[in-house]
Amino acid sequence: MGWQAGDCFDCAQLLCSLLLGVGYDAYVVSGYAPKAVTLVDQTADTMSVLLPPAAEPPKAAPEPKKYAVRPRKVLESRFLKKKEVRACPRHRRIL
């Protein structure tokens, strides 16, 4: 990333890691496709308009994401808390 150079696979990996960091599901797919896929040949496919409607499966609870962004921690200073306790007038009477 420091060189700001790379081939398409390097750019795909960088994009996926950025998307995963933000909370999206992202994958890098690499390989070869048959000729029918590359030419978008849909002659053997059946038209979905001619098929009867399929029953929808029952919806299940969504699975927790594997790469979810964690919520931020609340950063509190113990020193400031002690300082507030010491500044309290009720605390001064006890000491």
Side-chain angles (χ1 to χ4, degrees):
M1 204 158 105
W3 291 346
Q4 296 182 356
D7 59 0
C8 60
F9 188 73
D10 295 333
C11 293
Q13 284 183 319
L14 177 64
L15 177 63
C16 281
S17 64
L18 292 172
L19 290 172
L20 287 172
V22 179
Y24 289 94
D25 285 336
Y27 304 95
V28 176
V29 179
S30 176
Y32 296 97
K35 186 176 182 180
V37 172
T38 59
L39 296 176
V40 192
D41 185 12
Q42 298 179 349
T43 56
D45 293 345
T46 308
M47 292 180 58
S48 62
V49 178
L50 302 176
L51 298 175
E56 293 185 19
K59 294 183 179 179
E63 296 181 20
K65 293 186 179 183
K66 185 176 178 181
Y67 299 105
V69 179
R70 295 183 187 137
R72 286 188 175 188
K73 291 183 179 179
V74 178
L75 302 176
E76 296 179 344
S77 170
R78 287 181 280 169
F79 173 75
L80 293 177
K81 284 184 180 179
K82 289 179 183 178
K83 189 176 178 181
E84 288 175 7
V85 170
R86 290 181 187 150
C88 178
R90 191 176 122 202
H91 186 264
R92 285 187 183 174
R93 288 186 216 145
I94 296 173
L95 293 177

